[in-house]
Amino acid sequence: MRLATAALLLGLVAVLTGDENKNDLCAHRALSDEDAVLCQGLEVFYPELGSVGCMIVPDCNDYRQKITSWTEPIVKFPQAVDGATYVLVMVDPDAPSRAEPRQRFWRHWLVADIKGADLKKGKIQGQELSAYQPPSPPAHSGFHRYQFFVYLQEGKVISLLPKENKTRGSWKMDRFLNRFRLGEPEASSQFMTQNYQDSSTLQAPRGGASEPKHKRKRG
Ligand SMILES: *[C@@H]1O[C@H](CO)[C@@H](O)[C@H](O)[C@H]1NC(C)=O
């Protein structure tokens, strides 16, 4: 009886102080089944937040704002083969929005010559063809996917064309992959986030449900 009353009071306090709400915002939210198909053997961590593979960046602790200035995440492929070399690609297919991805793909990071032994441990060291650029989805553009792919390089010399190097947006990733016959990825993952000013909607994000018009060009 006493216990039950105490529990009730505690619950009431939690509701009144907004603790419940805060916990909801911080709760782990997995991607939809459709978006989860990309989660194949690759682990992605931002040290302050932890693993983001296959999840939506939570709308608490300013994570959605902080992620726009954090340095590159740890990307780990435990099944990487010692002695092999790999290419890592990070792209946003939803630039400027998932509804109208006119600038697909936005190239956030491109590293070649990564040694299997390093990739296994999450140490991304190699030839950085595009320096890491943090996710910075424009306001009112909905949730963006940030996708990571790892390809077996097999001794090829990987480079960007000068035209590709000039800009990150509208990258013809398929052409790049074909040019070096990189084929299917060995592993992949993705996470989602949206502009931190658009936050606090608890409904599940959907592709195509966002406002398409805005001027900023970053992904
Ligand atoms: C262009 O190439 C340089 C040197 O490899 C690289 O640091 C830079 O990030 C590249 N720029 C883009 C937009 O990919």
Side-chain angles (χ1 to χ4, degrees):
M1 170 83 184
R2 283 246 169 101
L3 255 178
T5 312
L8 204 70
L9 276 174
L10 264 176
L12 194 63
V13 169
V15 168
L16 289 175
T17 57
D19 272 6
E20 291 260 290
N21 195 26
K22 213 166 171 183
N23 288 338
D24 279 353
L25 294 177
C26 246
H28 182 278
R29 290 169 68 206
L31 299 185
S32 68
D33 289 349
E34 184 199 335
D35 284 328
V37 294
L38 226 70
C39 307
Q40 308 261 11
L42 203 60
E43 298 169 14
V44 180
F45 307 82
Y46 286 91
E48 192 180 327
L49 172 57
S51 174
V52 287
C54 238
M55 66 177 265
I56 297 163
V57 173
D59 190 15
C60 68
N61 300 336
D62 298 325
Y63 287 142
R64 289 182 184 168
Q65 183 169 13
K66 286 178 175 172
I67 203 170
T68 67
S69 58
W70 283 336
T71 57
E72 72 273 10
I74 293 162
V75 179
K76 191 167 163 180
F77 177 32
Q79 271 87 51
V81 176
D82 285 330
T85 51
Y86 295 87
V87 179
L88 170 68
V89 176
M90 174 187 175
V91 286
D92 171 5
D94 304 324
S97 71
R98 193 164 180 170
E100 280 192 55
R102 295 183 305 272
Q103 294 183 306
R104 172 181 295 181
F105 288 84
W106 193 276
R107 192 173 66 253
H108 278 268
W109 200 18
L110 177 62
V111 188
D113 303 334
I114 304 167
K115 293 194 170 77
D118 286 339
L119 188 55
K120 222 181 193 167
K121 289 182 282 187
K123 193 165 129 197
I124 302 303
Q125 210 172 52
Q127 199 200 350
E128 201 166 55
L129 296 169
S130 293
Y132 174 74
Q133 183 187 59
S136 51
H140 314 304
S141 70
F143 280 86
H144 288 226
R145 290 166 289 172
Y146 294 90
Q147 306 183 325
F148 296 78
F149 301 96
V150 158
Y151 300 90
L152 202 53
Q153 187 174 334
E154 291 173 328
K156 294 159 192 161
V157 179
I158 310 290
S159 62
L160 286 174
L161 300 172
K163 189 174 154 248
E164 289 177 305
N165 183 247
K166 253 200 326 227
T167 167
R168 291 173 182 267
S170 302
W171 185 39
K172 304 288 178 258
M173 183 172 157
D174 290 358
R175 278 189 218 164
F176 169 84
L177 296 175
N178 286 337
R179 199 155 76 235
F180 299 106
R181 303 200 193 300
L182 291 176
E184 292 297 309
E186 297 296 302
S188 58
S189 188
Q190 69 177 343
F191 67 84
M192 285 168 74
T193 187
Q194 70 171 355
N195 188 283
Y196 62 92
Q197 290 166 318
D198 299 343
S199 292
S200 301
T201 44
L202 286 172
Q203 76 222 23
R206 289 180 302 145
S210 54
E211 182 184 316
K213 301 252 177 333
H214 56 83
K215 296 268 152 59
R216 273 186 67 199
K217 287 200 167 161
R218 295 184 58 183

